[in-house]
Amino acid sequence: MRLVRRDGGARIIYEARAGIPAEHMPPYLLGTALGALLHQRALLPLHCNAIVHDGKAFLFCGDSGAGKSTLAAVFEARGYPLLTDDLCAIAADAQGRFSATPGIPRLKLWIESLTALGRGGAEVTRIPWYEDKFEVAMSRAAEDRRYPVAAIYHLRQAGEDAPPGIHRLQGLEAANAVTANIYRRRIADLLGRAPGYLAESMTLIRSVPIFRFNRRWGLENVVEDAAVAEAHLLGVKVNQ
């Protein structure tokens, strides 16, 4: 599959190679192709999910496998509306205040998470190129509007040199945490967007607190980790 035409960021026109099953198209178009479109529109797409509390968006970023979606599912069960999963587009207004846009109303969960969280059912659809990863409809989606970004958490695995917990990042560490989580950053580089997203990242870390969340991998820890994150975000002082 390849993106064959760009039209001002208004449309995605694609061509599927021979033999590509039709069911492979929607996940690809709503992932990589959508990321390319967002970069073309000069928006900042982050590899993260977002929950809503008190009219503000709290973003959780991290590499694939960091537990973003599982954590989001636990937050949803606790009553927090989900704004998006996996891909979150944010943008600044003229005053440098960032807001997040609602994404696709579904979660991507591995079978182990589905089982542990009791989220199996008729609304579950297998992602075509995985044997054991599924899309699950959000049961508590946020309203269809933009939300000010209150804080961003970068999920990392805890270890001997990184004890479990949450601490604020400043300066270069904060900038690196943001740029490392730009969705399909290589596409932005090819489009000549590097100066733009670097400038936006600098503006972002000056207006939104960036935190490192060292968490313990494993489903047995995710509920406790969600409680830690919840207690922390409830105490975040919002600048916007």
Side-chain angles (χ1 to χ4, degrees):
M1 291 177 281
R2 58 190 176 94
L3 194 64
V4 297
R5 180 182 173 189
R6 298 174 305 181
D7 188 14
R11 294 186 295 167
I12 297 171
I13 300 176
Y14 65 92
E15 175 184 319
R17 292 176 181 166
I20 297 294
E23 62 269 21
H24 284 212
M25 299 306 299
Y28 176 81
L29 294 174
L30 296 176
T32 296
L34 179 57
L37 184 147
L38 293 171
H39 282 302
Q40 187 180 342
R41 288 187 175 187
L43 297 173
L44 187 64
L46 296 179
H47 188 202
C48 65
N49 57 47
I51 66 168
V52 172
H53 169 66
D54 194 26
K56 308 292 191 301
F58 293 81
L59 281 55
F60 293 85
C61 297
D63 296 336
S64 296
K68 300 184 299 297
S69 296
T70 304
L71 199 63
V74 175
F75 269 110
E76 186 185 52
R78 287 175 174 264
Y80 291 85
L82 299 184
L83 188 64
T84 186
D85 179 54
D86 197 47
L87 172 58
C88 182
I90 65 174
D93 62 17
Q95 288 73 45
R97 297 172 298 194
F98 282 83
S99 58
T101 302
I104 310 303
R106 54 94 177 96
L107 286 165
K108 294 180 179 179
L109 295 171
W110 296 100
I111 187 64
E112 295 88 352
S113 297
L114 282 173
T115 302
L117 299 174
R119 292 297 298 267
E123 77 279 11
V124 173
T125 304
R126 188 176 69 84
I127 299 174
W129 45 82
Y130 292 105
E131 288 295 327
D132 51 359
K133 193 170 188 178
F134 298 81
E135 289 188 345
V136 188
M138 291 180 183
S139 60
R140 194 173 277 108
E143 295 178 10
D144 187 15
R145 62 182 177 86
R146 301 181 67 85
Y147 291 83
V149 178
I152 298 176
Y153 294 84
H154 183 202
L155 306 183
R156 295 288 296 272
Q157 185 171 12
E160 292 184 4
D161 298 327
I166 300 173
H167 65 277
R168 185 162 181 177
L169 300 177
Q170 302 281 2
L172 184 59
E173 276 195 312
N176 285 341
V178 172
T179 56
N181 288 285
I182 293 175
Y183 189 84
R184 300 296 189 264
R185 189 174 63 178
R186 179 59 177 156
I187 294 175
D189 293 338
L190 293 172
L191 291 173
R193 280 275 299 139
Y197 71 63
L198 289 173
E200 290 161 5
S201 298
M202 295 303 101
T203 302
L204 178 63
I205 67 173
R206 289 193 293 267
S207 61
V208 175
I210 313 296
F211 298 97
R212 171 72 42 75
F213 184 7
N214 296 326
R215 58 176 302 267
R216 299 157 301 165
W217 264 215
L219 285 171
E220 67 276 11
N221 299 312
V222 70
V223 173
E224 184 177 344
D225 283 349
V228 170
E230 180 181 26
H232 189 275
L233 69 84
L234 292 177
V236 169
K237 294 182 180 179
V238 179
N239 296 326
Q240 303 188 63

